Amino acid sequence: MKIAVLGTGMVGRTIAGALAGLGHDVVIGTRDPQATLARTEPDMMGAAPFAQWHAANPGISLAPFADAAAGVELIVNATNGAGSLAALTAAGTENVAGKVIMDISNPLDFSQGMPPSLNPVNTDSLGEQIQRTFPEARVVKTLNTMNASVMVDPARVAGGDHTVFVSGNDADAKAAVTDLLKGFGHRDVIDLGDITSARGAEMLMPIWLRIWGALGTGAFNFKIAR
Ligand SMILES: NC(=O)c1ccc[n+]([C@@H]2O[C@H](COP(=O)([O-])OP(=O)(O)OC[C@H]3O[C@@H](n4cnc5c(N)ncnc54)[C@H](OP(=O)(O)O)[C@@H]3O)[C@@H](O)[C@H]2O)c1
């Protein structure tokens, strides 16, 4: 499948690499490819400059958001939550219309310091904001409840015996995303319902961050025992 991964951070790189490894034709979207490749400092999360990763992954091209999103079958939103609407707007309404958007973003708000809070929260979610802004897109919130490396290699935690959620209004879009999740090795995919259920998935972030702090590692995940 032709897939655009919007986002050059740890999540975008990890998802793009895994999708390419599964045989998909992957392009990464960014605001300004030249500026992205010119960075020499690690990002906010300590990830090495993008150019280093790109040199090691020459089969994955880099393009402005709109060029990346044009002509693909599926779009992954792996952009910073505060910039996701801007990134998808830059991708172009015409380029996202009708397409599945696999939305991994979290609406983390660092304006009050650490730990971040969520904005929106409770009565709205970033997944819903994206769906409202792009009504012709088919948004599926997923994978936002775990660390990037666990997203594409669930077996690294408890042999893969843990849970991933999907939220979205379109059953076919959720089925397409579930196929990708299973390709990564996820076995327990819970369909939470329509896109309003993304509120629940995003609101797992405060407890995820506290567990991360308590364990000192992101190599864990939620398992829904039942
Ligand atoms: N890190 C994790 O393990 C993890 C786990 C679960 C969910 N998430 C979520 O996944 C998303 C990506 O996280 P990340 O850590 O990989 O990277 P990130 O640093 O949160 O996001 C980097 C990406 O966001 C884009 N971006 C930032 N501000 C923007 C703006 N104003 N307009 C347009 N684009 C903008 C950047 O564009 P440029 O390429 O142009 O710089 C870059 O591609 C986030 O929403 C995060 O909350 C992360």
Side-chain angles (χ1 to χ4, degrees):
M1 205 188 320
K2 285 188 83 169
I3 300 177
V5 177
L6 307 186
T8 56
M10 193 51 79
V11 175
R13 299 176 200 187
T14 304
I15 294 284
L19 289 172
L22 290 169
H24 296 287
D25 182 0
V26 183
V27 53
I28 291 191
T30 187
R31 282 170 285 194
D32 176 346
Q34 278 190 330
T36 299
L37 289 169
R39 286 178 197 146
T40 54
E41 298 297 318
D43 72 10
M44 197 176 87
M45 300 300 291
F50 183 83
Q52 269 182 36
W53 181 88
H54 195 235
N57 293 270
I60 300 175
S61 53
L62 182 71
F65 286 132
D67 293 356
V72 297
E73 298 162 71
L74 184 141
I75 294 170
V76 177
N77 176 34
T79 59
N80 190 277
S84 288
L85 291 174
L88 287 159
T89 299
T93 306
E94 68 285 5
N95 290 328
V96 304
K99 290 179 188 162
V100 176
I101 298 180
M102 179 165 147
D103 173 32
I104 307 179
S105 62
N106 277 309
L108 299 181
D109 177 358
F110 292 90
S111 63
Q112 307 300 316
M114 292 293 282
S117 53
L118 297 172
N119 182 20
V121 70
N122 287 324
T123 54
D124 199 4
S125 62
L126 183 52
E128 289 166 88
Q129 288 187 337
I130 294 171
Q131 185 63 78
R132 281 200 303 277
T133 307
F134 303 96
E136 291 179 46
R138 301 184 288 154
V139 180
V140 180
K141 171 72 69 178
T142 192
L143 288 176
N144 65 303
T145 55
M146 66 195 79
N147 177 266
S149 54
V150 180
M151 293 177 193
V152 302
D153 184 14
R156 62 186 279 122
V157 172
D161 183 20
H162 46 81
T163 306
V164 60
F165 307 104
V166 290
S167 302
N169 297 341
D170 186 301
D172 290 341
K174 285 192 281 195
V177 167
T178 299
D179 279 349
L180 290 179
L181 296 174
K182 293 200 165 157
F184 291 152
H186 289 281
R187 304 199 296 266
D188 186 25
V189 183
I190 298 184
D191 183 346
L192 296 177
D194 69 18
I195 194 63
T196 64
S197 65
R199 295 173 199 178
E202 292 178 8
M203 287 165 66
L204 281 173
M205 264 312 94
I207 185 63
W208 188 95
L209 288 163
R210 295 296 182 160
I211 297 168
W212 182 43
L215 299 182
T217 173
F220 65 89
N221 194 16
F222 298 105
K223 170 178 163 63
I224 305 306
R226 61 211 191 268

